[in-house]
Amino acid sequence: MSNELLRTFEDHGHALYRIAWRILGQADDVDDVLQDVLVEAMRVGQREPVTSWIGLLKRLIVCRSVDLLRKRNTGTVFSDAEFSEFNHPSSNISPEEVAIARELDAQFREMLSQLSGRQAEVFSLRYFDDCSNQEIAQTLGISSAAVATALMKSRRKLAALLLTDPTEGTVQ
Amino acid sequence: MMIEPHERELLSELDGSLLDSVQRIRNTSPPAESMQTTLARFNELLSADLTSNEIEPTSLAKTSHTIRFSANWAGGLTAAVISVVMASIWLSSPSVGLAQIAQALATQDWVQVTETADGVTRELWYSRTKDISASRDNESIEFRDHKTGVFHAYQRHENTLYRALEGDMPQRHDLYSELASSLPLLLEGFPHSDLLTHVKILDGHRERLKVIHQTLSRVDDLKHDLLDYNVMVEFDGQPAKLSFRIESESMLPQYCRMTTTYDDNELELVLQFSYPTQGPQDVFSLGVPEDAIYIDRIPPENVQVLLASMKAASHRFDNYRAIMVNYVEGDPFWWINANVEVVHRKENQWRRSSIVRSFQLEGPTKDTDMKLWWAQQVKESPVPDGHLMTIRQDDIEWRYSGDSKRRFIISVPSFWSMTPEWIMRPPTGFANNLHFEVNSTESSKEGPAGTMLLEVTPTIDANVAYGLTNATFSPTARYWIDVEKLLVMQWDEIDADGQVMSSTIVEQTAKSPDGYWYPVRLLRKAVMPNGETVESNMAIYLDFDSELPDQLFKPI
C-alpha cells in the first residue's frame, strides 16, 4: 500500500501542492494539509482497497484545504513568510498593486470558504486543478449532473459575493 | 501570458471579478523552495515507511482512533518532550525586545494550566515569584511551598490532609510556566536551523531528540491577534507534534495540544493556559473540607536539624579516591572472592568503576598494609581504570552497562551505598512521602552507646501504597545516629513482625582532612528466609591525595 502511495505522491506531488496552494495561499498551511492528507490516505488504504490513489489524494487535498480555509478565516490572514515569498509573474507590477492583489486574493479565499463543502470542492477541482466535469465526478463519487449543478451554484454565489460592497452593503 | 486552449475554455466559464480573481490565483506560483522542501520531506517520510508512526493531523477534535491512557504517564512523556524542546528553546539567544518580554513573563505572578488527558482533568498552578506550586484533580489536592520545603496534600479517598517535608527533589509544577516564558525566545529566532546544537543541558539527550519541522503563522480572528506555532519532533524515534496558540502581543500561550504515538497507541494531551494575578493562598483555598482528618508527618525540629547536618556532611565531603571492598571474613579465599569497586570524587563529580582482578593464590597476611595492598591490586588490574559503571555530575548520572548508556536525574547518587560519605548517611525515604511516621529517641538504650535512635515506620502496607506485589524493601528502618560524628553507627531493617531482617554496623571510623567522619569497616548481618544469619564485611580505603583529572569525570 505504501509503495503505491509513494509512487502516486512522487508523480503528482507538485500538482497536489499546487491545488492546496491555490486554495490556501500559504506555504505553512499547505504543509500542514499535506501532512494531514497523507496520514488520512494511509488510514483509508489500511481500511479498504483504494482503486485510485490520485483521486483519493485530490479529494482529500481539496476537502482539507477548504476545511482549513474555513477554520482560519475570520478576516485577513497572512504570514510573515508569505511576504518574502510573494511571487508575481510580472516584474513590472508596483508594490501598491502587489498589496492590492494580495488583499483581493485573501478576500476571494474568504468567499470561497463561504461556499458549501461540495460547491467549494467542485469549484476548486475545476478552476484550480483543471479537471473536467467527468473527472470531478469520478474524484468525488458523484454524477456529472451533480457536478454541473454545483459548479453553476458556486460561480453564481462567488460572483454575487464579489459584487457586494462590504461598506455599503449593496450589490453594485 | 500565453493561455493554453483547455485553460481558455475553462476560463471562458467565468467573467468579471470572478474571472479576475481566479486568473490571479492561477497565475501566482507557489514558492519554489518551500514546495521542493515539503515534497522532498514527505517523499522521504513515505520512503522510510513511517506510516505506522505518522503524527495525528492537527485537529481540535479527537478522532475515533485516539486511545485513552494514563494522565500521569502522558504527563511524563509530555514533560520529557516538552522539557527537552523547552530546554533548547530556553538557551537560545534572544533579541533584546523579546528577551524583555521573556523577563516579564519570568516574573508573571501565576501560571495556571488545565491539563486534560484520557478524560482526566488536572489543574496546576505555579508562581515563580512566590515559588509555590499547587494542584487539584479528582483524587487529591496539593499545595507546596518550595521556599519552606513544606507541602500539604489532601487525599480525597481518605478525607485526610497531610503535612510533610518535600525533601531533595521538590515537585515544582513549573514545567508549563517555563514553557510559557520560553516561547518568545523561540519565536524570535524562528525557525531555528540548529535548535539543538550548543545546548549543554541536552548532553545525553541530544541524540534522542530530532526537530523535524516548525511552522509559524499569524491568525487574526477580529477578536484576538494570535500566533499559531507548530513544531514536530521525534523523541526516541517516536514522532510528536506540539501545536500552540499564542497571544501575539504578550506572547503568552493560550492553548497547547500535543499528539504522539506510543506502542502504536495515539495519545493526546491538551493544555489551557491562564495567567491570574492571584493564585491559591493555601491548601484550604483549593477546597479541602473542614472535616478533613489532619496528620502531621514532619519530624521534630531537632531531628530535622540533625538530618540536614548529616546531609551537609555528605555534600561537603573531601575529594578522594576510594577502594570499596565487599568480602566475607570467614571465606578462606576472601581476597579472591571480594567484590571491589573504585569510586572517585571531585567536588560534585563522581566516577564509579568495578575492578576485575587476576587470580592470585597468595593473599595478604595479618601484617599486610591492606590499603597499600588493595591499591596495588587495583593498579595491577587487567582492565585499566576498571569497568566504568557510573559518571555523576551534580544531579545527573550516566549509567553504563555493556554498550548501553542511560541518563538519569537523581538527587542522591544511586550508588550511595558504595561511597564513604553516603553509606552511613543513608536517605531515610520519608521526605515527600505521606505514609511514613518518624519517631526519635535520644540516648536510646538499644544500639550503640551514645546514639540517638531515629525510627521510620510505614503507616500502610508498602504493596498497597505503591501498587506493588511482594515489595522487598523493609517496612521499618531504625537508625542509631552519633550526633557528634553525624554518622549512622547502626542501621537495622525490621519486618512487619518486628523481627530484624538486616543490620549494618560500623566497626571503625576515621576522620577526613576536612573533618568529616566516615566508616572504615562495616559488618553486615542479613537474616535469610530460612532463619539463617549471614554475615559480610566491607572495608573502605580512602586516598585524599590522589590525582583527580577532570577527564575522569567526563561522560563517554
Side-chain angles (χ1 to χ4, degrees):
Chain A
M1 176 270 292
S2 60
N3 282 339
E4 294 168 34
L5 178 58
L6 172 62
R7 272 200 300 276
T8 304
F9 191 77
E10 281 175 343
D11 294 339
H12 300 280
H14 285 83
L16 293 169
Y17 193 101
R18 189 176 55 237
I19 298 172
W21 166 261
R22 283 174 170 173
I23 296 173
L24 294 165
Q26 292 188 57
D28 294 341
D29 283 349
V30 173
D31 203 297
D32 277 350
V33 164
L34 263 179
Q35 178 193 292
D36 292 354
V37 164
L38 286 175
V39 172
E40 202 166 340
M42 289 171 204
R43 291 208 182 107
V44 170
Q46 285 167 355
R47 279 199 311 265
E48 60 200 58
V50 176
T51 52
S52 168
W53 279 102
I54 185 56
L56 173 65
L57 287 174
K58 278 193 179 180
R59 182 175 185 181
L60 289 174
I61 275 282
V62 169
C63 291
R64 295 296 162 256
S65 298
V66 172
D67 284 346
L68 184 56
L69 199 61
R70 285 209 184 86
K71 270 185 200 168
R72 83 177 192 204
N73 173 55
T74 50
T76 305
V77 183
F78 58 92
S79 73
D80 289 340
E82 196 61 34
F83 293 137
S84 63
E85 292 173 359
F86 188 83
N87 181 6
H88 197 276
S90 168
S91 59
N92 295 324
I93 202 162
S94 70
E96 289 78 13
E97 287 170 303
V98 166
I100 291 169
R102 188 186 304 137
E103 191 170 325
L104 289 173
D105 287 351
Q107 288 177 358
F108 177 76
R109 290 188 172 100
E110 180 188 344
M111 292 166 192
L112 188 66
S113 71
Q114 295 182 36
L115 297 178
S116 72
R118 175 58 51 78
Q119 290 170 8
E121 288 160 16
V122 166
F123 186 91
S124 299
L125 285 168
R126 176 71 178 141
Y127 298 109
F128 293 152
D129 195 36
D130 301 359
C131 291
S132 66
N133 283 16
Q134 192 169 8
E135 287 171 335
I136 295 172
Q138 281 177 347
T139 298
L140 298 181
I142 58 178
S143 67
S144 297
V147 170
T149 303
L151 262 180
M152 181 195 66
K153 287 183 177 178
S154 64
R155 287 195 299 256
R156 191 179 293 174
K157 185 165 182 183
L158 284 171
L161 288 170
L162 282 165
L163 286 175
T164 304
D165 181 340
T167 59
E168 296 186 7
T170 57
V171 176
Q172 295 178 343
Chain B
M1 174 177 286
M2 285 288 291
I3 297 180
E4 300 293 327
H6 80 276
E7 193 177 352
R8 188 178 298 116
E9 178 189 345
L10 187 146
L11 294 176
S12 70
E13 298 168 5
L14 308 171
D15 58 15
S17 302
L18 184 55
L19 173 62
D20 292 341
S21 296
V22 170
Q23 245 181 332
R24 196 171 46 244
I25 286 176
R26 287 174 61 91
N27 291 340
T28 305
S29 304
E33 191 179 334
S34 296
M35 183 168 68
Q36 292 306 326
T37 302
T38 296
L39 293 177
R41 183 168 64 83
F42 284 123
N43 272 315
E44 189 182 330
L45 286 175
L46 288 172
S47 298
D49 194 22
L50 289 174
T51 56
S52 62
N53 289 330
E54 195 52 77
I55 301 170
E56 182 76 15
T58 302
S59 167
L60 295 181
K62 274 190 180 182
T63 70
S64 59
H65 295 284
T66 303
I67 296 176
R68 294 176 180 274
F69 64 104
S70 152
N72 285 338
W73 187 94
L77 177 61
T78 304
V81 173
I82 290 181
S83 66
V84 178
V85 174
M86 179 272 291
S88 58
I89 293 169
W90 183 58
L91 292 172
S92 305
S93 301
S95 71
V96 173
L98 286 173
Q100 290 171 340
I101 294 176
Q103 197 172 7
L105 285 172
T107 57
Q108 195 71 230
D109 284 340
W110 288 91
V111 177
Q112 181 181 358
V113 176
T114 302
E115 177 190 86
T116 302
D118 192 25
V120 175
T121 297
R122 186 166 70 132
E123 297 168 275
L124 301 163
W125 292 264
Y126 179 66
S127 168
R128 190 192 299 263
T129 51
K130 294 178 171 54
D131 206 10
I132 286 176
S133 297
S135 65
R136 178 170 61 191
D137 57 33
N138 60 351
E139 291 182 356
S140 65
I141 298 173
E142 284 192 4
F143 184 90
R144 293 174 175 268
D145 185 338
H146 304 300
K147 286 183 180 174
T148 63
V150 172
F151 77 101
H152 288 82
Y154 173 69
Q155 305 289 298
R156 294 187 193 272
H157 70 284
E158 300 173 9
N159 192 31
T160 302
L161 175 65
Y162 294 91
R163 178 173 174 261
L165 291 176
E166 280 209 292
D168 292 324
M169 299 285 280
Q171 294 183 14
R172 284 188 174 81
H173 297 318
D174 61 347
L175 175 66
Y176 299 137
S177 173
E178 291 289 338
L179 179 65
S181 61
S182 300
L183 277 172
L185 305 178
L186 172 69
L187 300 180
E188 165 63 10
F190 175 86
H192 287 282
S193 58
D194 57 348
L195 191 66
L196 305 179
T197 58
H198 310 301
V199 178
K200 188 177 183 304
I201 197 172
L202 290 179
D203 284 348
H205 268 321
R206 194 174 289 109
E207 65 274 11
R208 303 173 68 190
L209 178 71
K210 183 179 173 185
V211 177
I212 304 294
H213 191 57
Q214 303 177 68
T215 62
L216 177 65
S217 59
R218 189 171 293 152
V219 178
D220 182 355
D221 66 0
L222 300 182
K223 291 179 185 176
H224 307 97
D225 193 18
L226 301 171
L227 296 173
D228 259 351
Y229 173 61
N230 294 279
V231 56
M232 289 166 46
V233 301
E234 269 187 13
F235 189 77
D236 284 345
Q238 295 289 340
K241 181 171 182 177
L242 294 97
S243 303
F244 295 94
R245 211 30 99 83
I246 301 160
E247 205 274 324
S248 61
E249 187 177 336
S250 64
M251 292 296 192
L252 293 172
Q254 309 297 311
Y255 170 91
C256 171
R257 178 173 179 265
M258 188 189 111
T259 56
T260 187
T261 54
Y262 189 81
D263 283 348
D264 295 327
N265 293 327
E266 294 165 13
L267 311 175
E268 179 190 71
L269 181 71
V270 174
L271 308 173
Q272 304 272 4
F273 291 81
S274 60
Y275 306 90
T277 53
Q278 290 188 348
Q281 298 302 306
D282 53 41
V283 71
F284 297 100
S285 66
L286 293 167
V288 174
E290 290 181 359
D291 64 346
I293 303 162
Y294 182 74
I295 295 180
D296 194 334
R297 293 290 189 216
I298 295 183
E301 192 173 340
N302 65 324
V303 172
Q304 293 184 55
V305 169
L306 176 61
L307 293 176
S309 300
M310 291 172 67
K311 179 181 160 184
S314 296
H315 280 292
R316 294 170 189 160
F317 201 83
D318 311 51
N319 297 338
Y320 62 77
R321 186 190 81 155
I323 300 176
M324 314 286 289
V325 183
N326 277 296
Y327 65 100
V328 177
E329 205 165 74
D331 180 354
F333 295 101
W334 65 270
W335 69 92
I336 297 172
N337 297 322
N339 177 57
V340 182
E341 290 186 12
V342 173
V343 181
H344 295 83
R345 173 179 176 164
K346 184 176 182 179
E347 304 303 330
N348 57 341
Q349 303 175 100
W350 289 260
R351 177 191 176 99
R352 176 193 178 200
S353 304
S354 66
I355 300 298
V356 176
R357 294 172 296 116
S358 53
F359 181 84
Q360 188 174 9
L361 193 60
E362 192 174 329
T365 66
K366 287 182 181 178
D367 299 323
T368 302
D369 182 330
M370 291 308 301
K371 182 175 178 180
L372 290 176
W373 193 85
W374 279 114
Q376 191 63 26
Q377 293 288 303
V378 169
K379 191 176 177 182
E380 292 173 358
S381 164
V383 179
D385 300 326
H387 288 295
L388 178 62
M389 299 172 74
T390 313
I391 292 285
R392 179 181 172 88
Q393 294 180 355
D394 294 316
D395 284 349
I396 302 175
E397 279 188 17
W398 291 265
R399 298 177 200 166
Y400 302 86
S401 176
D403 292 333
S404 74
K405 178 176 83 174
R406 296 189 67 193
R407 182 180 180 272
F408 297 85
I409 297 177
I410 181 171
S411 62
V412 174
S414 62
F415 50 96
W416 61 266
S417 64
M418 293 301 288
T419 67
E421 71 272 33
W422 285 103
I423 185 170
M424 292 313 280
R425 296 183 178 96
T428 52
F430 68 83
N432 220 22
N433 195 308
L434 307 179
H435 303 294
F436 281 104
E437 252 180 28
V438 179
N439 294 297
S440 62
T441 309
E442 295 195 21
S443 303
S444 167
K445 292 179 183 176
E446 296 178 49
T451 56
M452 184 184 87
L453 170 62
L454 186 74
E455 192 168 60
V456 180
T457 308
T459 57
I460 59 176
D461 182 84
N463 290 304
V464 173
Y466 298 103
L468 305 171
T469 54
N470 301 316
T472 56
F473 49 85
S474 62
T476 294
R478 289 185 185 150
Y479 309 93
W480 284 270
I481 303 173
D482 184 321
V483 298
E484 296 296 329
K485 293 183 177 177
L486 297 176
L487 208 60
V488 172
M489 301 303 290
Q490 180 172 334
W491 169 21
D492 286 357
E493 295 178 331
I494 316 293
D495 67 17
D497 298 324
Q499 301 300 311
V500 177
M501 295 165 55
S502 69
S503 263
T504 304
I505 302 163
V506 176
E507 295 184 318
Q508 187 181 350
T509 60
K511 204 172 181 180
S512 74
D514 285 350
Y516 298 105
W517 291 94
Y518 63 96
V520 174
R521 279 176 58 87
L522 297 112
L523 170 66
R524 285 201 181 101
K525 299 179 184 179
V527 179
M528 297 292 108
N530 62 3
E532 180 189 356
T533 298
V534 173
E535 292 188 0
S536 62
N537 307 85
M538 175 179 265
I540 300 174
Y541 305 98
L542 287 193
D543 181 354
F544 295 102
D545 299 318
S546 177
E547 283 190 17
L548 299 168
D550 289 337
Q551 192 58 34
L552 263 182
F553 306 98
K554 286 203 182 309
I556 57 172

